[in-house]
């Protein structure tokens, strides 16, 4: 199926096919988040429900879960990963990956920590 507001991208059963790209800013590397375009972000929030936007929607890239964040510096056909994320997932720039919404089960423990 094609996403009605994302016709340039192929959306198949909740999966979004994107090309791996680098971060638009080095300062984002320390967040361990993945960055997507605002239109892809809107699609995810729509798919997961508005409550997912509070801390950022959870997504999987391969077997790994991340918090996604919108960034206007990321093109619609890309997902921006930092170097450690790419190395850990064994991905190179320009690889195609599936981005999937992630809804953890009720008994699933998740934690996030931010250090200033």
């Amino acid at each position: 199926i094609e996403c009605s507001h994302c016709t340039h991208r192929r959306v198949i059963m909740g999966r979004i096919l994107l090309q791996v790209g680098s971060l638009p800013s080095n300062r984002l590397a320390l967040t361990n988040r993945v960055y997507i375009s605002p239109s892809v972000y809107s699609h995810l929030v729509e798919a997961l429900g508005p409550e997912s936007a509070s801390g950022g929607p959870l997504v999987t890239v391969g077997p790994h879960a991340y918090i996604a964040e919108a960034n206007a510096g990321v093109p619609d056909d890309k997902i921006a990963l930092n170097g450690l994320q790419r190395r850990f997932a064994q991905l190179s720039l320009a690889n195609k990956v599936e981005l999937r919404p992630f809804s953890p089960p009720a008994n699933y423990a998740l934690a996030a920590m931010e250090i200033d």
Side-chain angles (χ1 to χ4, degrees), residues 26-90:
N26 286 338
R27 69 174 181 78
L28 300 175
L30 301 176
T31 67
N32 202 35
R33 294 178 179 223
V34 297
Y35 293 87
I36 52 181
S37 73
S39 66
V40 174
Y41 184 87
S42 295
H43 178 75
L44 283 173
V45 170
E46 183 179 304
L48 290 170
E51 65 279 355
S52 69
S54 64
L58 295 173
V59 297
T60 58
V61 179
H64 310 293
Y66 297 100
I67 296 173
E69 192 170 311
N71 187 294
V74 179
D76 285 340
D77 64 338
K78 299 231 190 297
I79 180 168
L81 304 173
N82 70 38
L84 289 174
Q85 291 166 329
R86 292 192 309 268
R87 193 172 310 131
F88 185 67
Q90 297 181 338

Side-chain angles (χ1 to χ4, degrees), residues 94-107:
N95 280 140
K96 297 280 187 189
V97 294
E98 291 181 359
L99 177 72
R100 296 178 190 220
F102 179 66
S103 296
N107 62 350

